[in-house]
Amino acid sequence: MTLPLFDTEPQPPQTIADGAVLLRGWAAVNDGEWMAAVQQVLAQQPFQAAYTASGLPMSVRTSNCGEWGWAANRNAYGYTRSDPLTGKLWPSMPQFLKQQAKVLSGLAGYLGFEPDVCLINCYEVGAKMGLHHDADERDKFAPIVSVSLGLPCTFVWGGLQRSDPVRSFRLEHGDVLVWGGASRMVFHGVRPLQAGQHPLLGAQRWNLTFRMARAIYTA
Ligand code: MD6
Ligand code: FE
């Protein structure tokens, strides 16, 4: 009998739509390093409340690292150099995170990915993300690398129009979703987080999205 090397073995890349690749379990193999790197960011930039475009409080809390960060208060949202709340520059992106994001995007077929932001979202039980697309980045085709840690969620994947039909799938600890090109402006969301206990994250889900906020993707 052959034993799996890891609790969650990385699965072969799965193309879920044009330009969108799911790498199941790829961040679970070194999740201790992922956790340590995120904790290092959170020590400098703790999770804080965020607001939707219409000024309503969101159920997720956010942190950032990188040259830019995504921030939202009651009046405005978008990418800034520093945290509008404290005036401090966003903490720099740990080398481990940047290197992993580059390797994972490469595995999905995107060479030359140079993230200048990692937005970190924290979901507690009941937290959700309504249907949206990410349009604040300058390059509307550059990939985004999305890493899920902790409790599983139901991810909703729609089309280029808000009214397009959606399908949903589970994202689990260590799953990585890379999407750009023709899928970059697809509407998507996250259903309310179900209660549970994860060995590393307890009752939380963290989602890391590596983005090119200001740079133009040329590879
Ligand atoms: C989440 N993710 O997984 C929410 N956006 O919690 C996103 O909204 C997202 O995963 C753009 C690109 C990838 C994503
Ligand atoms: Fe999004």
Side-chain angles (χ1 to χ4, degrees):
M1 190 176 86
T2 47
L3 291 170
L5 283 173
F6 306 104
D7 286 347
T8 328
E9 277 196 274
Q11 302 296 307
Q14 260 174 271
T15 298
I16 61 159
D18 190 7
V21 178
L22 181 54
L23 301 164
R24 284 218 182 268
W26 282 77
V29 296
N30 50 359
D31 55 4
E33 286 166 275
W34 280 96
M35 293 293 301
V38 177
Q39 298 285 12
Q40 183 195 322
V41 172
L42 294 177
Q44 304 166 74
Q45 185 65 45
F47 288 125
Q48 56 182 239
Y51 296 84
T52 65
S54 40
L56 298 168
M58 290 171 77
S59 52
V60 301
R61 290 175 302 141
T62 65
S63 177
N64 288 279
C65 61
E67 293 149 54
W68 296 86
W70 191 87
N73 59 30
R74 281 183 192 283
N75 309 308
Y77 64 97
Y79 288 101
T80 59
R81 286 282 193 190
S82 52
D83 178 357
L85 216 62
T86 61
K88 281 196 314 186
L89 289 177
W90 302 111
S92 61
M93 195 184 299
Q95 274 310 310
F96 172 79
L97 294 183
K98 184 169 274 192
Q99 174 245 338
Q100 292 291 303
K102 288 167 72 83
V103 169
L104 292 163
S105 56
L107 274 165
Y110 291 100
L111 301 175
F113 180 57
E114 291 289 342
D116 52 13
V117 182
C118 176
L119 169 63
I120 307 167
N121 285 153
C122 176
Y123 293 73
E124 317 256 5
V125 174
K128 62 185 164 63
M129 178 90 61
L131 204 63
H132 69 281
H133 62 188
D134 294 67
D136 299 332
E137 299 75 25
R138 180 177 289 164
D139 187 324
K140 302 292 191 280
F141 295 93
I144 293 179
V145 173
S146 167
V147 176
S148 293
L149 297 172
L151 285 183
C153 78
T154 302
F155 194 78
V156 178
W157 179 269
L160 293 175
Q161 305 295 322
R162 184 179 288 277
S163 55
D164 285 343
V166 299
R167 50 188 163 130
S168 61
F169 46 88
R170 235 166 116 84
L171 286 182
E172 305 214 8
H173 177 75
D175 288 350
V176 179
L177 188 53
V178 183
W179 35 306
S183 284
R184 179 58 176 75
M185 298 306 284
V186 158
F187 278 89
H188 57 278
V190 175
R191 298 251 193 257
L193 194 74
Q194 301 288 107
Q197 277 295 322
H198 186 273
L200 293 180
L201 268 176
Q204 293 185 344
R205 170 180 182 261
W206 292 354
N207 175 250
L208 280 57
T209 44
F210 296 88
R211 300 143 184 267
M212 289 174 61
R214 286 293 169 265
I216 298 292
Y217 183 65
T218 51

